Structure formats: structure tokens, C-alpha cells
Amino acid sequence: MRRPAVSDAARLWEIARDTDVLDLNSSYSYLLWCRDFAETSVVAEHDGRVGGFVTGFVRPTDPTTVFVWQVAVDDALRGRGVASAMLNFLLDHLAHQGVSTLETTISPDNTGSQALFASVARSRYTSISTRKLFDSNDFPDQHEPEELYVIGDDSNRGEQ
């Protein structure tokens, strides 16, 4: 596990593209994630190649919360605990900055991501709460609704 570098951006874009689940951001955005949000993002290497990533940012309105934008793992590494290891690495790394809460959004039919984040909450012996954040009508395209998942000791504060 390590912070991403700009040279990792193309690989992050490839992994996201190949999931067929994530909203694929522009290749430019992955360059910016690796440059400007490296401190709040993680890549997992396997055999010298990036095999997974987490992109996130500390919420400007709440410096105790990291919002996870995307989590993706290469097909060859799925089912090996890479995603939860990256999320725990991120939380451990940011704890010294006072980050104690993790947020993300998950569509209601994405049971894999729901299970992942519930597992992270359990492994950290903390709570998780959910609530609707965006309805499908909030999006200009055919996007599914998104529910907010809040992991941390103050998970009931997800109303912010």
C-alpha cells in the first residue's frame, strides 16, 4: 500500500474502466487525483503493478471526515481483501490528522460495496449508518440513486 503518483493515473483509469461498475471519470481526473489528492488516496501494488486503488478527499466542511470517491480492484486480485486493506490503510494514515469518520455513496443495488463498507466498520469496531443522499431525479442522466454510508463513532451525524 502506498500513495499514488501521477505515473499511476493511467492504471487507475484502466482499473476503473474494467470494473464495469464504477462511473468512469475522465483520464484527466485520475491525473488530478494522483497529483492533488494523493494524501487521501491509496494504491495497492501486486508484483510491481498497481492492482487496486481508493480515491478520496477530506471534506472541506468537516476536516474529521474523509469521503471515499472510488474503490476499485483489478479482477485478478478480487476476493483477497485488497479493498478493505486499502480502506483501513487510508483511515490509519489519516488518523493522525484527526480524521475519524469515513463517508461514501453506494447505489442500492451494489451489494458488494455495501458488504465491503459494513465489513470495514466491523473490523474497526465502530458503527455504520446509511441514508438516502441523491435520488435518481437529481442526476441529469440515467444514474441510480446514491445512499450515503457513514462509518465512525459519529455515524449518526450523516445528516450534514
Side-chain angles (χ1 to χ4, degrees):
M1 304 293 163
R2 65 172 173 79
R3 300 282 155 244
V6 170
S7 59
D8 297 319
R11 181 69 181 133
L12 271 61
W13 182 86
E14 291 170 354
I15 294 170
R17 177 200 63 202
D18 293 347
T19 66
D20 292 326
V21 176
L22 294 176
D23 289 337
L24 184 62
N25 299 302
S26 72
S27 57
Y28 178 69
S29 69
Y30 291 96
L31 286 164
L32 291 176
W33 278 111
C34 290
R35 186 192 76 166
D36 295 338
F37 297 98
E39 189 64 23
T40 54
S41 299
V42 178
V43 295
E45 281 191 353
H46 180 73
D47 292 335
R49 180 179 163 118
V50 172
F53 71 87
V54 171
T55 54
F57 59 90
V58 173
R59 284 198 31 219
T61 57
D62 183 359
T64 67
T65 299
V66 62
F67 183 90
V68 170
W69 183 265
Q70 285 186 318
V71 177
V73 177
D74 185 87
D75 283 340
L77 297 176
R78 288 204 185 129
R80 297 166 82 176
V82 174
S84 59
M86 289 188 297
L87 289 167
N88 280 305
F89 179 90
L90 178 64
L91 285 167
D92 292 344
H93 176 75
L94 294 175
H96 76 280
Q97 296 177 19
V99 171
S100 59
T101 304
L102 180 147
E103 290 183 344
T104 195
T105 59
I106 304 173
S107 59
D109 67 344
N110 190 339
T111 57
S113 288
Q114 293 165 7
L116 168 63
F117 283 89
S119 170
V120 169
R122 279 191 309 275
S123 73
R124 299 186 76 80
Y125 302 99
T126 191
S127 57
I128 186 169
S129 66
T130 64
R131 71 172 175 88
K132 184 187 286 188
L133 184 64
F134 298 118
D135 190 54
S136 57
N137 294 333
D138 294 324
F139 295 94
D141 55 6
Q142 299 294 320
H143 201 288
E144 297 175 276
E146 293 281 343
E147 294 177 347
L148 181 68
Y149 281 65
V150 182
I151 297 172
D153 293 332
D154 337 352
S155 66
N156 293 324
R157 72 187 176 113
E159 299 298 318
Q160 296 178 351

